[in-house]
Amino acid sequence: MAWGLVSMTLRGLLSVVILLSTATSTDGRDVHVTCVFSEDCVLPCSFLPGSEEVIHWMKPEDKDLTIHSYYYSTDQLKQQSQRFRGRTALFNDQIPKGNASLLLRGITLQDQGRYKCYTSTIKGNMESFINIAVEAPVRLVDIQLSDDIITCSSTGIYAEPKLTWSTDPPSDLSFDPGTIQNSTSIKVDDQGLYDITSTKQFSRNLTNICTVTSGTVERTATLKQQGNQSINS
């Protein structure tokens, strides 16, 4: 009887160990990744290496939209969302080492949001969550002068940019006649990116400075009068 009780106890403990080893694990913290519009981006995900790997990348906020799947030692893309067709890849040679990171090509604004990386091996299951933010930083600021009117513009920006005017040496723009016709407009193109344009009267004898800012990126362009000529940079 004693051996029978011991045997039953051991079997019970073994069952508990097996259940614990296959329970889904998550650290409860999201990883935040910033991707650049139209470029490629890597979503990191790692797991404890083991055989019989299963990997599922999903988008929970889109009803667990399937982004990429891998099992039976190969990519499984029959259930992949049309939106991600031809845009995803795993680092297959790194999977045996516990790397389930996803390469997402040609980032769009629609790619923003929360992603789930689910992995499973004979050693257990894991889930991790990655939040993607997309930016299209200010790359170029153009400034032109025509009939004493300066036009400053920049295109293809995300998030929504801000444009400011200043002068060198500094002047109080509230008393600068050049601010009387200051006009700024923002438009959104068909990709969801912002174009910003501003015009004002040319401030003579000063360097006119236009600054466009989006997020942490800031770009400037200047225009000044030298003799009878206007020079921009």
Side-chain angles (χ1 to χ4, degrees):
M1 290 292 293
W3 281 107
L5 288 172
V6 171
S7 177
M8 290 176 63
T9 302
L10 288 174
R11 283 199 297 270
L13 287 173
L14 182 59
S15 298
V16 171
V17 171
I18 291 173
L19 286 172
L20 287 175
S21 68
T22 58
T24 298
S25 171
T26 177
D27 62 9
R29 293 176 296 176
D30 287 12
V31 175
H32 294 269
V33 176
T34 299
C35 302
V36 178
F37 181 84
S38 80
E39 296 185 6
D40 298 347
C41 191
V42 175
L43 283 61
C45 180
S46 60
F47 61 96
L48 187 65
S51 59
E52 300 180 17
E53 301 99 340
V54 174
I55 300 171
H56 292 297
W57 277 93
M58 294 168 281
K59 210 159 186 283
E61 58 193 26
D62 288 343
K63 299 180 180 179
D64 275 341
L65 192 74
T66 300
I67 298 167
H68 198 107
S69 293
Y70 174 98
Y71 48 90
Y72 297 146
S73 300
T74 190
D75 295 308
Q76 305 286 345
L77 304 179
K78 288 184 178 180
Q79 302 301 318
Q80 185 181 46
S81 167
Q82 184 66 36
R83 201 173 101 201
F84 293 95
R85 290 284 170 90
R87 299 180 56 216
T88 63
L90 298 175
F91 300 88
N92 291 35
D93 60 330
Q94 296 294 313
I95 291 175
K97 300 177 183 179
N99 185 355
S101 299
L102 180 76
L103 174 65
L104 186 55
R105 301 185 180 94
I107 290 292
T108 70
L109 295 183
Q110 288 70 36
D111 293 330
Q112 295 184 105
R114 194 170 189 244
Y115 292 73
K116 178 169 70 175
C117 173
Y118 169 87
T119 58
S120 173
T121 70
I122 61 170
K123 295 183 180 180
N125 309 330
M126 291 186 66
E127 286 183 355
S128 58
F129 294 88
I130 296 88
N131 269 295
I132 287 185
V134 176
E135 66 175 23
V138 184
R139 299 186 184 277
L140 177 67
V141 177
D142 181 66
I143 191 167
Q144 301 292 334
L145 176 65
S146 177
D147 297 328
D148 274 351
I149 298 296
I150 307 177
T151 300
C152 178
S153 61
S154 188
T155 61
I157 306 167
Y158 192 87
E160 185 173 348
K162 294 181 180 180
L163 188 151
T164 57
W165 290 98
S166 58
T167 61
D168 184 25
S171 62
D172 188 344
L173 290 178
S174 62
F175 295 100
D176 180 1
T179 63
I180 295 175
Q181 295 184 14
N182 186 350
S183 175
T184 301
S185 64
I186 297 178
K187 296 180 180 179
V188 181
D189 66 18
D190 56 2
Q191 298 181 93
L193 303 179
Y194 292 91
D195 298 339
I196 190 167
T197 302
S198 184
T199 60
K200 80 175 195 73
Q201 289 180 338
F202 183 48
S203 299
R204 296 185 179 278
N205 304 317
L206 296 171
T207 298
N208 296 258
I209 305 170
C210 173
T211 302
V212 179
T213 306
S214 176
T216 60
V217 178
E218 179 181 286
R219 295 285 185 270
T220 63
T222 64
L223 187 67
K224 63 181 178 180
Q225 188 172 18
Q226 186 169 313
N228 294 324
Q229 293 184 329
S230 297
I231 301 174
N232 60 3
S233 60

